[in-house]
């Protein structure tokens, strides 16, 4: 089992996300989460999925699109660090990424498929990591980051946004 990362393995910015992740196997946690988004989306109408709880806030579809962007970026970082790359992996501006991609034009079926495939790819990659690879450290936005810390950030980031969907969008989610 991959243990929870220590605070020396990630930037303080990520502490909140990592603390959201319950104790246990991180791969199993990501597998459990893999069912939540498709179940949620399949229960919504297109109109509900385009809902924004306030002016200037993302729609439900855009929140899911942001989760997709984040998982792809984090998975790339994790892979490169786990394989020993020492380059500084830059941060990203979520608002710029969201401004230039039309997630609201996606159908719910499109989002369900893309989310399922993206998460499946992440899980398959993580299952193949050696114990040593999980502990590898690299640099993300000028801060130390271990491969395992990035996996925990992915899970915690999604839990954060699922809580937002439950609390701000009034969606019925069992977390």
């Amino acid at each position: 089992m991959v243990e929870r990362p220590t605070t020396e393995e990630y930037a303080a910015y990520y502490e909140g996300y990592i603390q959201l992740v319950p104790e246990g196997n991180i791969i199993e946690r990501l597998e459990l989460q893999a069912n939540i988004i498709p179940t949620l989306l399949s229960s919504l109408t297109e109109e509900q999925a385009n809902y924004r709880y306030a002016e200037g806030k993302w729609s439900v579809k855009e929140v899911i699109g942001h989760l997709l962007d984040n998982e792809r970026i984090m998975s790339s970082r994790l892979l490169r660090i786990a394989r020993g790359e020492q380059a500084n992996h830059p941060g990203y501006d979520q608002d710029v990424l969201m401004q230039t991609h039309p997630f609201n034009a996606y159908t719910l079926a499109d989002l369900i498929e893309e989310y399922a495939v993206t998460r499946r790819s992440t899980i398959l990659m993580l299952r193949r990591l050696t114990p040593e690879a999980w502990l590898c450290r690299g640099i993300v936005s000028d801060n130390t980051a271990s491969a395992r810390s990035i996996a925990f950030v992915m899970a915690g980031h999604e839990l954060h946004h699922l809580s937002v969907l439950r609390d701000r969008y009034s969606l019925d989610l069992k977390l």
Side-chain angles (χ1 to χ4, degrees):
M1 182 174 89
V2 177
E3 294 181 22
R4 181 176 294 280
T6 65
T7 56
E8 295 81 33
E9 295 177 57
Y10 55 88
Y13 170 81
Y14 293 116
E15 179 71 22
Y17 293 142
I18 290 173
Q19 290 306 312
L20 289 175
V21 181
E23 292 298 326
N25 184 303
I26 190 61
I27 297 173
E28 289 175 4
R29 168 59 45 192
L30 290 165
E31 288 173 331
L32 286 171
Q33 286 179 324
N35 298 317
I36 296 171
I37 297 293
T39 300
L40 167 68
L41 292 178
S42 65
S43 73
L44 300 177
T45 65
E46 292 290 337
E47 181 179 346
Q48 290 170 319
N50 286 314
Y51 172 75
R52 298 168 192 273
Y53 70 87
E55 183 69 31
K57 295 299 182 181
W58 293 338
S59 69
V60 174
K61 286 181 178 180
E62 289 170 326
V63 171
I64 304 306
H66 167 66
L67 291 174
L68 286 165
D69 286 349
N70 186 74
E71 182 138 344
R72 287 177 170 135
I73 291 166
M74 292 294 184
S75 290
S76 173
R77 289 174 177 171
L78 192 155
L79 172 70
R80 293 166 67 188
I81 288 169
R83 302 260 176 97
E85 185 176 287
Q86 294 298 305
N88 186 14
H89 304 279
Y92 72 95
D93 186 329
Q94 65 185 18
D95 295 319
V96 170
L97 294 180
M98 294 306 293
Q99 289 170 2
T100 58
H101 196 72
F103 283 110
N104 282 328
Y106 284 39
T107 66
L108 286 167
D110 291 340
L111 281 173
I112 291 168
E113 178 183 23
E114 192 164 335
Y115 176 85
V117 169
T118 301
R119 178 52 59 93
R120 182 81 180 129
S121 176
T122 298
I123 290 168
L124 289 170
M125 176 187 65
L126 296 179
R127 283 187 185 156
R128 304 299 185 257
L129 292 180
T130 64
E132 298 79 22
W134 282 103
L135 299 176
C136 285
R137 294 184 189 199
I139 306 295
V140 174
S141 299
D142 300 318
N143 294 287
T144 298
S146 69
R148 71 180 174 181
S149 74
I150 295 171
F152 276 80
V153 168
M154 282 191 293
H157 177 261
E158 186 162 304
L159 287 169
H160 163 74
H161 283 289
L162 289 170
S163 293
V164 170
L165 288 170
R166 181 192 61 213
D167 299 341
R168 301 277 173 117
Y169 295 77
S170 300
L171 298 177
D172 186 23
L173 286 166
K174 311 287 188 266
L175 303 180

